[in-house]
Structure formats: structure tokens, C-alpha cells
């Protein structure tokens, strides 16, 4: 095999691309990743909540099954990555408390609680006083909340660094370049041309380019994934040692219809997120975005205004039409997808790696991933030439 040809070539070195490459290499595939900055992507902005239960939405019960499958794999997955790389992922089984600030929020949370119960999930309704007993810095006006001990967190930046190290250790080749065009020959994806004109050949190509996945040139229109960027602005604050423990678990709420969450890390970082904006490729951090996050977070936990604000950043979630990922083989032979993870990329990382390794080895999706076939949005098989 030349260094420019691989069994599996993954387009995109974010956490989804890296976990796919790592798991493929473990199966014995000669694997490469093409990305100008592997280890980057949306994970550099994400808060890392593993929130299968507290982020449950009506109409997303199928996705819930995949989210729960991935959450169950996290302890073993994190332990395996740490053992291989020596890197700590900041995996913290600290639980989540979703609180209500007014009567509307309370109705919304009661509805979420009922949906969780109908779905067989564990969550406990608490009075405002019980919420404040758990988290004494909560605002006195908190009217009640939902305690979800099973929703944990991980540090996505550490996760990305560990996955990159795991790829290097398992022999994954990293091509630090832009994948400009998928090369299609006789109705089969056979590789990628990079921005500098290099041709990278592959037995199978995996498109895992996050929000950019829908822009890859060379693919037939009906094979391109319907993935769009959904902007999220996120703040990072630091809890000085004299204020610790500031919060002992993730605290979240819907304030005036917008989600706000505070994710406290063991190292003193406090992540506050996130806006959700349909603004195309814009990643500007705006005064309005920062203002709204701080205003809403301050209503939940007034003491945050004392903390140093250390970072403001915006990233792009890869949104799909049904908020669920696109996984596995496509209508174009030789092309698979692992994209469209939207709000759940960090949570879905373990199961995505397993599903994609299975799909690469067998040509099929395992049972739990069948509803997430890319075919649900387009052609199931192609015979005509690409556009
Ligand atoms: N899952 C959190 C977010 O997308 O903001």
C-alpha cells in the first residue's frame, strides 16, 4: 500500500471522524484521516454534557435509544481511551439538575418529566427548596427542578486530544489538508482530492466532516447529506479555589424559551452555553449572544458575575432534518457517512465508533443504528453518473 492509499479514508478529524478512524484501525483496516487540523471542530466549543435524559425532546424517541446506548458505553469507552493514551478525559458522573424559574418553565419541566417517565427514564422531581439544598448557589426564586443523576459530562477538548493520540497509536495516517472533492469512478467513491491537488485513494471513504459535510464537491446531489450549520455561542469562566465547590453538577434551565446550561469541571472551568442560531457559516461571537447567556445564567446562579470570564467562542453544530445523525453506507458504493450529530456529537461518540467499524467491516448497520441510515433522506441506490 502506498502512503496515499488506504483501506478506509475518513474525511474530517473531529471527534466523530477520529473515533471512526480509531475503531477502523483496531479492526485491521489501513486507515487515514484527511483534515487540516485534526482534533479540532465543534468539540473545541462543546460543553460535553452527556444529556440523553435531560435533553429528551418530543418526537425523538428513536434517537433516545441510540443516545442511551452510547451513554451506557461511556464508562468503558473512557477507560479504554485513557488506558491506551494515558490521557484523562474529564469524565465526571456528576449528574444534572434542570430547574424552573417561573410558572412557564415549571410547566415545561413537568411536561419533560412526564415524557421521561413514559420513556422509562430515571428522573426525580424536586421542590425549589430541595434544588437549593443540592446546589446552594441557585437563585432563591427557583420553583422546582428535575434531578437526573444518570446524565454525566466529559471534557470534549480532552476527548478530542485522546482520540487523536489513539489514532496515532493505532497507526492511522493523518493527512493535514482540506478534502476538496470526493473522487468518484464508475459509480464508486474511490478517494479524495485535496486542496493542493493530491489524490488520496481508498477502498472506502467515510464522510465525517461535521457541519461541512454537505459541501463536499464531487458527490451526486442526492447523496450529499442534508446537514446544515447551527451556531452555538459558549462561554468559559473560571471558579477560583476560594469559591469552590461552586456547583457540584450540571445545572440547566430554559429561560424565556432559550436553553442555558452551566457545566462545572473538576479543574475549576465552568462552561456556560449555548445559543442556537441558524445563521449559516457565521461564527462571530456577538455582544448579544454573550449578554443573553450571562443574563440567563445569572438568573439561575447570581454568583456567576463574580467569576473571571476566560473565553468566548462560537461553533457550528451539524444539524440534520430530524436532529439525528446519518450513519453508515450511502447510495454511492464505497461512500459511508458519520455526520449530522447536531446536539449529541459528544454523547454519540462511543456508539458512532462501534457502528461505523461494523459498517465498514460488514457493509451493514447493526440493529441499533438502522433507523439512522442516510437513505432515509435520499436515494437508496444509484446507477447514474454523478453531477
Ligand atoms: N447539547 C448541547 C448543545 O447543543 O448546546
Amino acid at each position: 500500500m502506498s502512503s496515499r492509499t488506504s483501506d478506509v479514508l475518513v474525511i474530517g478529524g473531529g471527534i466523530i471522524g477520529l473515533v471512526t478512524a480509531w475503531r477502523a484501525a483496531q479492526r485491521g483496516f489501513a486507515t487515514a484521516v484527511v483534515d487540516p487540523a485534526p482534533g479540532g471542530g465543534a468539540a473545541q466549543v462543546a460543553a460535553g454534557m452527556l444529556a440523553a435524559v435531560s435533553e429528551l425532546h418530543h418526537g425523538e424517541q428513536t434517537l433516545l435509544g441510540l443516545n442511551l446506548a452510547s451513554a451506557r458505553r461511556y464508562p468503558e469507552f473512557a477507560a479504554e481511551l485513557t488506558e491506551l493514551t494515558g490521557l484523562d478525559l474529564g469524565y465526571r458522573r456528576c449528574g444534572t439538575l434542570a430547574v424552573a424559574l417561573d410558572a412557564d418553565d415549571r410547566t415545561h419541566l413537568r411536561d419533560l418529566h412526564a415524557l421521561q417517565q413514559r420513556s422509562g427514564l430515571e428522573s426525580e422531581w424536586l421542590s425549589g427548596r430541595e434544588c437549593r439544598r443540592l446546589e446552594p448557589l441557585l437563585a432563591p426564586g427557583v420553583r422546582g427542578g428535575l434531578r437526573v443523576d444518570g446524565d454525566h459530562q466529559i471534557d470534549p477538548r480532552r476527548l478530542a486530544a485522546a482520540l487523536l493520540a489513539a489514532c496515532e497509536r493505532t497507526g492511522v495516517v493523518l493527512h493535514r489538508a482540506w478534502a476538496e472533492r470526493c473522487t468518484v469512478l464508475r459509480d464508486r467513491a474511490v478517494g479524495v482530492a485535496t486542496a493542493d491537488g493530491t489524490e488520496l485513494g481508498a477502498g472506502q471513504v467515510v464522510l465525517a466532516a461535521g457541519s461541512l459535510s454537505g459541501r463536499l464537491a464531487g458527490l451526486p446531489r442526492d447523496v450529499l447529506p442534508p446537514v446544515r450549520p447551527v451556531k452555538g455561542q459558549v462561554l468559559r469562566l473560571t471558579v477560583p479555589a476560594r469559591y469552590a465547590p461552586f456547583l457540584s453538577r450540571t445545572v440547566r434551565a430554559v429561560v424565556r424559551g432559550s436553553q442555558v446550561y452551566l457545566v462545572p469541571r473538576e479543574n475549576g472551568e465552568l462552561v456556560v452555553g449555548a445559543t442556537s442560531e441558524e445563521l449559516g457559516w457565521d461564527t462571530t461571537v456577538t455582544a448579544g449572544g454573550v449578554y443573553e447567556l450571562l443574563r440567563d445564567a445569572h438568573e439561575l446562579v447570581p454568583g456567576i458575575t463574580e467569576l473571571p470570564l476566560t473565553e468566548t467562542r462560537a461553533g457550528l453544530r451539524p444539524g440534520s432534518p430530524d436532529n439525528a445523525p446519518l450513519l453508515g453506507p450511502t447510495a454511492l458504493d464505497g461512500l459511508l457517512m458519520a455526520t449530522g450529530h447536531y446536539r449529541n456529537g459528544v454523547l454519540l461518540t462511543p456508539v458512532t465508533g462501534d457502528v461505523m467499524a461494523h459498517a465498514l467491516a460488514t457493509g451493514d448497520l447493526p440493529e441499533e443504528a438502522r433507523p439512522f441510515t442516510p437513505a432515509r433522506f435520499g436515494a437508496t441506490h444509484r446507477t447514474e453518473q454523478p453531477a
Side-chain angles (χ1 to χ4, degrees):
M1 188 190 83
S2 112
S3 68
R4 299 197 181 284
T5 307
S6 46
D7 297 330
V8 173
L9 176 62
V10 181
I11 303 172
I15 53 176
I16 295 300
L18 291 177
V19 78
T20 300
W22 175 42
R23 291 307 197 196
Q26 282 181 320
R27 292 254 183 157
F29 289 110
T31 304
V33 171
V34 54
D35 190 308
Q44 293 301 315
V45 182
M49 291 178 298
L50 308 176
V53 178
S54 29
E55 285 200 7
L56 179 62
H57 292 271
H58 285 284
E60 293 186 3
Q61 265 82 355
T62 310
L63 176 59
L64 171 67
L66 195 69
N67 286 344
L68 290 173
S70 207
R72 277 193 295 272
R73 289 175 207 201
Y74 242 105
E76 210 176 308
F77 170 82
E80 184 185 352
L81 256 183
T82 296
E83 191 180 320
L84 176 65
T85 64
L87 298 172
D88 173 40
L89 308 185
Y91 179 44
R92 194 174 174 196
R93 293 173 176 82
C94 58
T96 296
L97 182 65
V99 299
L101 287 169
D102 61 25
D104 287 349
D105 302 347
R106 203 165 177 280
T107 305
H108 167 83
L109 267 195
R110 283 286 194 194
D111 181 56
L112 176 61
H113 190 212
L115 178 61
Q116 290 166 341
Q117 289 186 315
R118 283 200 300 281
S119 309
L121 302 171
E122 276 184 36
S123 62
E124 183 189 359
W125 183 262
L126 302 182
S127 66
R129 184 179 301 208
E130 287 167 325
C131 290
R132 279 189 301 281
R133 203 172 297 140
L134 279 184
E135 296 297 339
L137 295 187
L138 277 175
V142 163
R143 293 189 166 211
L146 270 179
R147 176 178 178 167
V148 182
D149 287 346
D151 275 357
H152 303 147
Q153 63 152 299
I154 197 155
D155 184 334
R157 292 178 178 174
R158 290 175 181 225
L159 173 64
L163 284 170
L164 190 57
C167 282
E168 283 164 346
R169 274 168 204 231
T170 43
V172 173
V173 175
L174 300 172
H175 297 289
R176 292 174 192 270
W178 276 110
E180 188 112 310
R181 163 175 289 274
C182 183
T183 312
V184 179
L185 276 182
R186 287 183 290 279
D187 287 322
R188 184 175 177 88
V190 295
V192 155
T194 66
D196 66 4
T198 305
E199 287 286 341
L200 305 172
Q204 300 186 80
V205 177
V206 179
L207 178 53
S211 57
L212 290 163
S213 299
R215 299 183 95 183
L216 184 68
L219 292 180
R221 253 187 305 280
D222 57 350
V223 170
L224 267 181
V227 172
R228 69 185 195 286
V230 182
K231 177 179 174 182
Q233 301 190 49
V234 174
L235 317 176
R236 282 174 164 79
L237 297 88
T238 302
V239 178
R242 67 181 182 282
Y243 290 140
F246 191 78
L247 294 174
S248 63
R249 71 202 68 223
T250 296
V251 170
R252 57 184 306 151
V254 177
V255 183
R256 284 177 285 270
S258 301
Q259 295 277 350
V260 63
Y261 44 79
L262 291 83
V263 183
R265 304 236 195 273
E266 254 156 12
N267 65 6
E269 184 176 79
L270 180 70
V271 184
V272 178
T275 65
S276 191
E277 302 163 81
E278 303 268 0
L279 287 174
W281 302 100
D282 174 58
T283 51
T284 314
V285 174
T286 62
V290 174
Y291 166 72
E292 282 170 27
L293 288 172
L294 286 176
R295 180 195 62 195
D296 295 350
H298 175 254
E299 283 193 29
L300 281 188
V301 182
I304 64 149
T305 49
E306 303 294 319
L307 305 181
L309 174 62
T310 40
E311 189 183 315
T312 58
R313 198 151 164 188
L316 299 172
R317 304 174 184 87
S320 78
D322 60 6
N323 300 337
L326 290 80
L327 301 173
T330 67
L332 180 65
D333 285 344
L335 180 74
L336 296 87
M337 276 175 202
T339 188
H341 290 68
Y342 190 36
R343 295 187 307 264
N344 297 308
V346 178
L347 171 62
L348 288 174
T349 295
V351 79
T352 297
D354 296 345
V355 163
M356 294 308 294
H358 180 101
L360 286 161
T362 67
D364 253 331
L365 280 171
E367 189 63 36
E368 78 262 29
R370 297 230 166 109
F372 306 101
T373 169
R376 72 191 189 276
F377 296 122
T380 51
H381 191 70
R382 290 191 56 78
T383 45
E384 75 265 40
Q385 288 294 321

